[in-house]
Amino acid sequence: MPRNPAYDILFEPVRIGPKVAKNRFFQVPHASGMTNAAPQVRAAFRAMKAEGGWGVVCTGATSVHPSSDDSPFPCATLWDEADVRAHALMTDAVHAHGALAGVELWHGGAAAVNRTTRLPGLSPSGVPWMATHVPFMSAARPRVMDAADIRDLIRWHADAAVRAEEAGFDILYVYAGMGYLPYQFMLKEYNSRADAYGGSVANRVRLTAELIDAVREATGGRCAVALRISLQELRARPSDNAESEAHEVIGHLAEVPDLFDVKMDYSATDCAPSRFLPEGSHRPVVDFVKRLTSRPVVGVGRFTSPDTMVAMVKEGVLDLIGAARPSIADPFLPAKIDEGREEDIRECIGCNLCISSWHDGVWVRCTQNPSAGEEWRRGWHPEISRSRGEGQVLVVGGGPAGLEAALTAARRGFSVALAEAGEFGGRLRWETTLPGLRPWFRVVDYRLGQLRKMANVALYPGSAMTAEDVESFGADHVVVATGARWTTALCGANEIPVGLLSAPRVYTPDDLAGGAVPEGPVAVFDFDNYYIGSAVAEELAARGLAVTYITTAGAAAAWSFLTNEQSHIHAALARRGIAYRTLEIVTGFDGETLSLSQIMSGEPRQIAVRSLVIVGLRAGGSALHEALQDRIASLHLTGDANAPGAIAHATWQGRRTAEGLGLPPETPRRDLGVFAPGVLA
């Protein structure tokens, strides 16, 4: 199909200093968990985006010196020639598709604890970054930088810039945001210096300007130099000389970099979960920058709508449409817009499993795009399957795993039948009715949209299948993806489960999904500690019930710290008047009194409630699968029925199951780095 003329503006070239981006689609630097230890994995991951039409593709934060060591979090480096060779794999792969390659030169300062290198941290005035959290991170404290340290920092950036150009990068970033060292100089709480780098705003931005100049001079003006800067805190601070300190900072730096990359200060607002913040949520903070500079401006906002992208350009907010999460969910987003296939975009759902990967110290993964991180290791592609299949596949269960398995099998060329006892969507049919979670139904919408277009797919909603039905269907391969069920199991202080709780008015999320209406006051006992427990509490409070949220952890929805949701969840609990109790387990319930125990001391406690919702343990398994064990030669259990987990685990399992149908067991490739035999010899 021809491109919609309304989107032509998105495909205009944009000059960035000495370089020209072929269009306005700009994959900004973002964490991938793929360090120099896995250069081929990283190259294939970034190259997929270049293949999909992104005009600029950047790698993530890259340390300029061993005094900026973020371990155990994954962190790339540009310290020596071995690093140059590792990064060259990525730049070559990106250039092969006509995209520019960018690198984010990074020094963490007080935010980098240097656990591996063991060098003292550096800071403007010896103040640890986010002091309330640092004791958890490390007992070490940064030292105050002297004039020689500042000269060293500038030299380290210049040296890293030379290596970056040698590696083939076109755009070199100076990173003054997210609490890292140049940004620490900008904030007076962290910078109480009395020299030329402290005091006034003009002095506090001096280091950033000098870093930009040093990077440009080191590369002879051949590379574009970008400034990535956080503006959330600065915009909230009054200035005697401008509308805010953010305006004053941008005013001082207006013509210094070749490109401004504008963002928020904290991960929870910069990489904001869709459950709490909409597409384009950065705009009120960053919308002023273009008025103060002639340089191009890029920014993010979980943009998936081309109409929103066009508005950001036409309304003078951005010149380039930045993306991290949407580029992971659909590396081919630009190509689909260019080809008039907007309905085929695999839209980011904003669940933030991607950022949780970095917090976990592993390669990126994505709920919508299970091929993310598997491009090199397993050879997966987000749009096609490279192995062909013959025969018929019957998939039983139309939730996330079943839908993904059906789509992958169909792309392999199988004739596919997808049977679902009810309506398609599985667990997401109910979960996405909970507060803020509707965008997650894109997992279902995308896959159903694709399946309905395919001539080799037959969809059967409202079709419960018995073992006899499956056997008589006669498919060559059968995939069972019938999901998991929540249980009323309780947990002890150190073990799960300690038995099922049988008492009046005890419910699970499955009961609520089936229409059960708890009587208030109600307690929600959450030892799943992801999103469901808090979302159920919100939903019950919205119905007017008095709700107490109880968790085994030290904070609500403990695992959601990794997905940037936790701070928003606590605010939501407070906003809805939900009481919450931490570090407690449920030991009993008689329909009137809920018995609790403090998880550390064992101290018994009691509260009066009429209903209890337990959000804890899910059980997989499938009676259908068990009944078919000796009847079907090619029988496969996948998704939550195989191993309950997050939706991302279900879609990945569905993809892996379908990729393996009719093939011998796979042996994923191992990335042994630049010194592996035959790699950059």
Side-chain angles (χ1 to χ4, degrees), residues 12-25:
E12 295 174 347
V14 178
R15 175 164 290 281
I16 307 172
K19 304 292 183 177
V20 177
K22 65 180 181 181
N23 58 38
R24 297 183 187 270
F25 293 95

Side-chain angles (χ1 to χ4, degrees), residues 24-208:
R24 297 183 187 270
F25 293 95
F26 193 116
Q27 184 251 279
V28 297
H30 72 77
S32 70
M34 302 162 189
T35 66
N36 297 21
Q40 296 178 96
V41 172
R42 179 174 61 190
F45 172 70
R46 301 293 182 184
M48 192 64 72
K49 304 184 186 192
E51 180 185 338
W54 296 87
V56 179
V57 177
C58 298
T59 193
T62 302
S63 171
V64 300
H65 187 264
S67 60
S68 182
D69 158 33
D70 214 22
S71 59
F73 301 115
C75 177
T77 56
L78 260 173
W79 297 348
D80 53 35
E81 286 303 308
D83 291 342
V84 171
R85 295 195 295 274
H87 286 289
L89 277 175
M90 175 262 186
T91 61
D92 287 347
V94 166
H95 289 154
H97 297 285
L100 299 177
V103 61
E104 186 174 61
L105 304 180
W106 168 77
H107 199 292
V113 185
N114 301 334
R115 295 173 183 84
T116 299
T117 65
R118 302 189 71 176
L119 297 176
L122 301 176
S123 73
S125 301
V127 180
W129 179 250
M130 296 183 70
T132 56
H133 298 297
V134 168
F136 161 73
M137 303 296 284
S138 172
R141 296 294 181 268
R143 69 180 181 84
V144 179
M145 296 173 69
D146 59 22
D149 292 321
I150 292 176
R151 291 193 297 271
D152 284 342
L153 179 68
I154 295 170
R155 176 173 53 83
W156 297 337
H157 275 74
D159 291 345
V162 171
R163 296 187 191 105
E165 184 183 23
E166 183 183 351
F169 287 107
D170 305 288
I171 302 173
L172 316 182
Y173 269 74
V174 169
Y175 197 177
M178 296 292 285
Y180 300 133
L181 188 51
Y183 187 63
Q184 293 161 23
F185 271 81
M186 290 186 187
L187 299 181
K188 54 189 175 184
E189 295 93 332
Y190 297 91
N191 181 355
S192 58
R193 302 177 70 92
D195 60 8
Y197 295 94
S200 67
V201 170
N203 280 357
R204 286 185 267 134
V205 302
R206 186 184 308 278
L207 175 63
T208 296

Side-chain angles (χ1 to χ4, degrees), residues 49 56 79 118 182 242 255 302 307 385 463-464 542 662 667:
K49 304 184 186 192
V56 179
W79 297 348
R118 302 189 71 176
E255 306 302 315
R302 197 170 46 82
D307 294 315
S385 180
S463 300
T667 303

Side-chain angles (χ1 to χ4, degrees), residues 522-527 529-530 533-535 537 547-551 555-558 569 573 578-582:
V522 58
V524 176
F525 177 43
D526 181 13
F527 62 93
N529 282 319
Y530 187 21
S534 62
V547 179
T548 299
Y549 172 90
I550 303 164
T551 178
I569 288 171
L573 295 180
I578 298 169
Y580 71 92
R581 304 171 66 103
T582 60

